[in-house]
């Protein structure tokens, strides 16, 4: 004899699943700061090593004094048929839920594109301390070409300065002012980042996510998910954050307090593509892996719809969109994670403009 679940039972189970996933997603999205821990090295699941796409993080006991990059105490490439650069840090071991692509490090096809985590607004509003709603800040990763190959430490220094100094010119937020990175040293247990220039006065929440942008960037480029220690003449990193503590990537669900719910890897920012089939790729932490998108040209809708990431939130997954054959013109792609509550609101979105020649 076989048994089957009744319609009523299925509805009950479905409602419970939705409620559980929504609780995880909304809890993470409501956080501006979360506790994170240093993670143990592990092999990435894709054959390359880079910082954010393919391995999961597994928390370990952090060193004393370690602070999460989110702040709580505790530990453009043109489509050409070649694979996109991979960001795959050696951070953590795989879990039954599947590979967490936000845990990986640096490498690229040419060796000239570096993973950089920019600070930006993700299109949603949050209330901090019961105040008025304000734009939520999260990290968006992009692969940035660099003419300076150099050593691993030199590449990390270059990428960190891009994250800090070039954010504004790339459509993101520069919360560092004139601050610069003058040196990166990769040790056995920590990565040391030396800062110079005036320390900008920003609030604690902004300082924590701003610091996270540099932490994620240097650990991605070096391929080592180690705590980061900052050095500065005035003893401060950014805003009120002191150099007396170390700062580490968040892991697991806590990553939702730092990383944008969705971002676009390809096409790269400002990419100029040849006319023909266009494929977009990226990452998302979305309910049941559902990712919505719209493509416009000169403000007019070209196509829209949904795709499914490789795994659902709270694990980050990869997504892919076949946008079809596109004629010459300027296009804007928007991708977002629909709310599990009603599907109408979104839990964060990313926008990318590119041209087809």
């Amino acid at each position: 004899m076989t048994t089957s679940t009744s319609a009523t039972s299925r509805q009950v189970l479905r409602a419970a699943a939705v409620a559980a996933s929504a609780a995880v997603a909304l809890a993470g999205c409501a956080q501006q700061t979360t506790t994170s821990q240093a993670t143990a090295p592990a092999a990435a699941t894709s054959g390359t090593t880079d910082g954010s796409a393919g391995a999961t993080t597994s928390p370990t006991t952090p060193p004393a004094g370690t602070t999460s990059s989110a702040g709580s105490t505790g530990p453009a490439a043109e489509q050409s048929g070649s694979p996109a650069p991979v960001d795959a840090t050696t951070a953590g071991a795989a879990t039954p839920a599947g590979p967490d692509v936000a845990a990986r490090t640096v490498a690229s096809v040419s060796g000239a594109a570096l993973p950089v985590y920019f600070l930006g607004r993700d299109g949603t509003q949050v209330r901090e301390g019961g105040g008025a709603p304000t734009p939520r800040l999260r990290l968006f990763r992009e692969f940035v070409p660099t003419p300076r190959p150099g050593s691993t430490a030199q590449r990390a220094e270059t990428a960190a300065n891009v994250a800090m100094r070039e954010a504004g010119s790339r459509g993101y937020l520069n919360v560092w002012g004139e601050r610069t990175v003058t040196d990166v040293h990769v040790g056995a247990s920590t990565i040391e980042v030396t800062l110079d220039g005036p320390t900008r006065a920003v609030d604690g929440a902004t300082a924590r996510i701003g610091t996270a942008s540099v932490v994620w960037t240097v650990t991605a480029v070096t391929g080592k998910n180690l705590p980061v220690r900052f050095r500065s003449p005035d003893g401060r990193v950014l805003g009120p954050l002191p150099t007396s503590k170390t700062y580490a990537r968040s892991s697991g669900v806590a990553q939702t307090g730092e990383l944008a719910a969705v971002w676009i890897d390809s096409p790269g920012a400002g990419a100029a593509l040849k006319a023909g089939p266009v494929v977009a790729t990226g990452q998302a932490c979305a309910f049941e892996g559902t990712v919505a998108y719209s493509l416009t040209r000169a403000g007019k809708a070209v196509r829209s719809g949904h795709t499914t990431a490789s795994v659902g939130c709270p694990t980050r997954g990869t997504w892919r969109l076949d946008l079809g054959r596109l004629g010459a013109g300027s296009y804007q792609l928007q991708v977002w994670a629909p709310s599990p509550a009603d599907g109408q609101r979104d839990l964060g979105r990313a926008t990318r403009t590119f041209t087809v020649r």
Side-chain angles (χ1 to χ4, degrees), residues 206-223:
T206 301
R208 286 187 288 270
I209 195 72
T211 299
S213 71
V214 174
V215 170
W216 278 84
T217 296
V218 297
T219 52
V221 175
T222 60

Side-chain angles (χ1 to χ4, degrees), residues 148 151 153-154 156-158 160-161 180-186 191-196 214 218 228-231:
R148 179 189 177 189
S151 65
Q154 289 172 330
E157 178 185 330
T158 297
N161 278 309
T180 60
V181 173
T182 59
D183 184 67
V184 173
H185 175 73
V186 183
I191 298 174
E192 293 185 357
V193 176
T194 302
L195 301 171
D196 194 18
V214 174
V218 297
V228 175
R229 180 173 293 279
F230 291 90
R231 298 188 179 278

Side-chain angles (χ1 to χ4, degrees), residues 3 7 81 84 95 103 136 141 154 165 172 207-208 228 247 292 309 352:
T3 61
T95 68
R136 189 174 64 182
R141 189 199 60 191
Q154 289 172 330
R165 303 299 299 278
Y172 297 100
R208 286 187 288 270
V228 175
Y247 300 84
R352 179 62 42 84

Side-chain angles (χ1 to χ4, degrees), residues 128-331:
E128 294 291 343
T134 58
R136 189 174 64 182
L137 303 181
R138 290 293 184 268
L139 302 182
F140 294 82
R141 189 199 60 191
E142 289 192 12
F143 289 99
V144 177
T146 173
R148 179 189 177 189
S151 65
T152 297
Q154 289 172 330
R155 293 197 300 272
E157 178 185 330
T158 297
N161 278 309
V162 170
M164 295 165 60
R165 303 299 299 278
E166 297 184 19
S169 63
R170 295 175 179 273
Y172 297 100
L173 301 177
N174 176 4
V175 298
W176 294 88
E178 298 303 310
R179 201 82 149 138
T180 60
V181 173
T182 59
D183 184 67
V184 173
H185 175 73
V186 183
S189 59
T190 60
I191 298 174
E192 293 185 357
V193 176
T194 302
L195 301 171
D196 194 18
T199 303
R200 192 174 232 184
V202 297
D203 63 86
T206 301
R208 286 187 288 270
I209 195 72
T211 299
S213 71
V214 174
V215 170
W216 278 84
T217 296
V218 297
T219 52
V221 175
T222 60
K224 296 182 181 295
N225 189 19
L226 298 173
V228 175
R229 180 173 293 279
F230 291 90
R231 298 188 179 278
S232 172
D234 66 0
R236 289 190 296 154
V237 181
L238 178 63
L241 298 186
T243 57
S244 58
K245 295 183 178 182
T246 58
Y247 300 84
R249 285 186 175 199
S250 61
S251 62
V253 176
Q255 289 178 355
T256 62
E258 295 182 357
L259 304 181
V262 62
W263 64 48
I264 300 169
D265 285 335
S266 177
L273 314 179
K274 295 180 179 179
V278 174
V279 174
T281 62
Q283 291 185 18
C285 183
F287 173 66
E288 294 186 342
T290 301
V291 176
Y293 77 95
S294 68
L295 180 69
T296 59
R297 176 183 173 187
K300 296 183 178 180
V302 175
R303 58 177 49 88
S304 62
H306 296 79
T307 189
T308 304
S310 58
V311 65
C313 212
T315 303
R316 292 184 73 86
T318 56
W319 56 262
R320 173 188 172 95
L321 287 171
D322 292 313
L323 299 176
R325 299 186 66 88
L326 301 180
S330 177
Y331 294 84

